[in-house]
Amino acid sequence: MLRRLVQQASIRRHISNSYYFNSHLSAPSSSPPSLVRKCCLSSSSSSSTQIPNSSFVEQLDEANQTGPEASATISIDRSGLYNPPEHSHEPSSDSELVKHLKGIIKFRGGPISVAEYMEEVLTNPKAGFYINRDVFGAQGDFITSPEVSQMFGEMIGVWAMCLWEQMGQPSTVNLVELGPGRGTLMADLLRGASKIRKFTESLHVHLVECSPTLQKLQHRNLKCVDEDTTTISGLARTPVSWHAGLEQVPSGLPTIVVAHEFYDALPIHQFQRTSRGWCEKMVDVAEDSTFRFVLSPEPTPATLYLAKRCKWARTEEITKLDQIEVCPKAMELTQTIAERISSDGGGALIIDYGLNGMVSDSLQAIRKHKFVNILDDPGSADLSAYVDFASIRHSAEEVSGDVSVHGPIIQSQFLGSLGINFRVEALLQNCTDEQAESLRTGYWRLVGEGEAPFWEGPNEEVPIGMGSRYLAMAIVNKKQGVPVSFQ
């Protein structure tokens, strides 16, 4: 008897609830009372799988009131629900860096900037392109000027020595190289300057390098010996120190900074002109789990740097561009350099490929000396972009009135004024035929333009001159006058 009373009470409660929802949410019908509820699921983030609009229907069948054993039943229509693919326990083919990048995008709930993608790809502590490998030279992914010929490092040494003399030959000088690669440039500089003992004895070399692998190569190529708490280069008996950033280099001393092919690896933000204004290009994960470019629907923090860069440009320079690249880290680094030169004296030499104006869509990826897709297999290729030398000039001049900026001038003009022509002639007088061929090839790569006219080897190996592609710029303390090569 008690069981029957409970069942009847349950039936009356279901019937009462169904009539309440039916009277408030649906039109009168002769069919049994029912509750229809639709839930639309969607995702606004392009990084997530787009879930189609779906609905589910809860059907409450009215209980049969005639029989004492009648009961209420609920049926659910799930045909419209999104069914994700079954989870696989098979190991993923993604590299650790790819998993890391996808994890960042998933955690953010949306795409990341090109700058953040670039920074992770190049300098991620565990899997960055520069961190755990030697990427320079013929066996690496690309060749830089110091790897082409010893004459490049020697000429940089001449420039540094001339600046030291303009500074009044101080007894102690910080010689800083940003991103020294294998240490080839610094090794050639010290070896070539070793005969000028007063100059080399004044130097303390500071190498700004984040890669443990390259630090070891630099230690070896500079013939370093660890003596107590000091590391000494055997090339010129010069102390050497390593730092993760320029701000860690001790201040208070005259400083000479060399940045060769360093600025081009600093992360850039890309903006594209659209009907709603400038939108930042971002990196997202597509439905097939590959990376893709998307545009930000709203202004991003980097838009402030875009506005700053546009303020420095002429209107006609901006109107002809559909894409613009800005490099906040280059602006900040330049300001740090300018502030130090202003307070401590000295100068900075910047050599890189780029433009003396706004840069548009120059980001590129190089793997094993060939151009590849920027988003393909992150961490396996070098990423770089053209350097905006005009932005460097404005950044330096904005932060201090005590510094002057000179250039940019093309690399062939810079090296020619330092005497590279005389140097190659001197070297050719005392070398083998094989060495002579290497010298001529290296010389052409540094100062020539286009394909070498004297080349008789395979067409795919013809030396290409970088003399006009690379630009040189100097930032110096005004007290020291105009630096050599820029006079």
Side-chain angles (χ1 to χ4, degrees):
M1 181 66 179
L2 179 61
R3 178 183 176 189
R4 186 170 298 175
L5 289 174
V6 170
Q7 287 178 340
Q8 290 176 350
S10 176
I11 292 171
R12 283 195 294 271
R13 183 167 60 251
H14 281 298
I15 294 173
S16 175
N17 288 343
S18 68
Y19 275 111
Y20 173 79
F21 285 112
N22 191 51
S23 62
H24 284 77
L25 301 178
S26 61
S29 172
S30 57
S31 60
S34 65
L35 170 63
V36 179
R37 183 171 62 205
K38 294 185 177 180
C39 296
C40 297
L41 307 177
S42 64
S43 173
S44 61
S45 169
S46 56
S47 64
S48 303
T49 305
Q50 187 172 358
I51 304 175
N53 289 343
S54 61
S55 63
F56 66 85
V57 180
E58 290 185 354
Q59 177 69 46
L60 178 62
D61 292 333
E62 184 179 358
N64 186 350
Q65 302 180 53
T66 58
E69 299 295 330
S71 64
T73 60
I74 298 177
S75 62
I76 301 177
D77 178 9
R78 294 184 174 87
S79 60
L81 285 174
Y82 169 68
N83 296 312
E86 292 185 5
H87 176 70
S88 173
H89 293 281
E90 294 296 323
S92 171
S93 61
D94 287 345
S95 67
E96 290 302 315
L97 183 58
V98 169
K99 292 177 182 176
H100 176 68
L101 288 166
K102 290 180 177 179
I104 294 175
I105 293 171
K106 181 178 180 180
F107 177 78
R108 299 272 181 86
I112 59 176
S113 68
V114 171
E116 187 169 2
Y117 173 83
M118 189 174 175
E119 187 168 17
E120 289 288 345
V121 166
L122 296 181
T123 60
N124 178 276
K126 292 184 177 179
F129 178 75
Y130 288 120
I131 299 302
N132 300 314
R133 71 190 85 181
D134 175 13
V135 300
F136 300 94
Q139 302 304 315
D141 293 275
F142 54 89
I143 297 175
T144 59
S145 296
E147 306 297 334
V148 167
S149 170
Q150 70 182 64
M151 294 183 289
F152 185 82
E154 292 172 348
M155 294 301 105
I156 302 302
V158 171
W159 186 87
M161 196 182 312
C162 291
L163 182 62
W164 171 74
E165 291 180 346
Q166 288 180 291
M167 294 159 59
Q169 299 185 1
S171 59
T172 309
V173 175
N174 286 331
L175 177 58
V176 182
E177 184 178 2
L178 306 178
R182 289 174 167 176
T184 307
L185 185 156
M186 187 59 69
D188 291 335
L189 186 159
L190 293 177
R191 189 182 295 110
S194 60
K195 294 180 180 180
I196 314 299
R197 296 294 301 275
K198 188 176 182 180
F199 172 62
T200 56
E201 287 175 356
S202 72
L203 299 178
H204 186 141
V205 173
H206 297 273
L207 302 178
V208 176
E209 178 60 68
C210 64
S211 168
T213 300
L214 292 178
Q215 285 183 10
K216 293 178 182 177
L217 279 173
Q218 294 152 15
H219 189 281
R220 185 182 69 192
N221 290 336
L222 292 178
K223 312 296 182 185
C224 288
V225 178
D226 298 322
E227 299 180 359
D228 297 328
T229 59
T230 306
T231 299
I232 302 294
S233 169
L235 299 175
R237 297 301 301 169
T238 303
V240 181
S241 301
W242 280 264
H243 311 275
L246 178 59
E247 65 280 355
Q248 296 178 7
V249 177
S251 59
L253 294 174
T255 300
I256 301 174
V257 178
V258 177
H260 174 256
E261 289 202 53
F262 182 78
Y263 273 77
D264 68 294
L266 295 177
I268 59 155
H269 293 264
Q270 291 186 318
F271 289 87
Q272 184 170 315
R273 188 192 298 274
T274 69
S275 59
R276 50 191 172 89
W278 290 101
C279 296
E280 184 168 4
K281 187 185 290 187
M282 314 288 280
V283 176
D284 201 359
V285 179
E287 291 184 359
D288 61 358
S289 292
T290 60
F291 292 107
R292 64 172 181 173
F293 288 116
V294 296
L295 293 179
S296 173
E298 298 176 352
T300 59
T303 306
L304 296 175
Y305 289 95
L306 175 66
K308 184 176 185 178
R309 182 61 187 91
C310 289
K311 183 181 67 175
W312 292 336
R314 302 184 309 274
T315 302
E316 55 270 23
E317 186 179 10
I318 301 172
T319 53
K320 68 180 182 181
L321 298 177
D322 290 325
Q323 297 191 59
I324 295 176
E325 292 175 352
V326 295
C327 187
K329 289 208 170 184
M331 298 179 185
E332 294 165 359
L333 172 63
T334 301
Q335 291 179 342
T336 300
I337 292 173
E339 287 172 345
R340 177 162 297 203
I341 292 172
S342 174
S343 61
D344 297 345
L349 177 65
I350 301 166
I351 301 179
D352 228 311
Y353 62 93
L355 301 172
N356 190 24
M358 299 188 85
V359 177
S360 173
D361 196 22
S362 71
L363 183 62
Q364 61 188 19
I366 299 177
R367 182 191 303 131
K368 299 298 180 183
H369 306 278
K370 295 181 179 180
F371 292 105
V372 295
N373 188 298
I374 294 166
L375 301 179
D376 176 48
D377 193 12
S380 68
D382 178 46
L383 299 183
S384 62
Y386 272 34
V387 175
D388 182 349
F389 280 91
S391 177
I392 294 176
R393 169 186 292 277
H394 287 292
S395 297
E397 293 175 341
E398 182 181 78
V399 75
S400 175
D402 295 327
V403 300
S404 57
V405 183
H406 305 272
I409 60 176
I410 60 175
Q411 179 170 282
S412 59
Q413 179 184 347
F414 173 77
L415 296 176
S417 67
L418 292 169
I420 193 172
N421 301 331
F422 301 105
R423 180 57 176 160
V424 70
E425 289 177 4
L427 291 171
L428 286 171
Q429 291 177 3
N430 187 24
C431 65
T432 65
D433 291 343
E434 184 178 352
Q435 290 172 333
E437 182 67 21
S438 178
L439 280 170
R440 282 192 293 266
T441 299
Y443 173 77
W444 180 263
R445 288 184 187 276
L446 293 177
V447 302
E449 184 172 356
E451 297 183 355
F454 58 82
W455 184 251
E456 297 179 353
N459 290 336
E460 62 272 14
E461 298 178 10
V462 59
I464 305 297
M466 301 183 290
S468 61
R469 183 185 178 194
Y470 282 74
L471 302 178
M473 173 177 275
I475 305 171
V476 299
N477 191 296
K478 285 183 176 179
K479 296 177 181 179
Q480 295 147 200
V482 181
V484 67
S485 298
F486 298 91
Q487 297 167 344

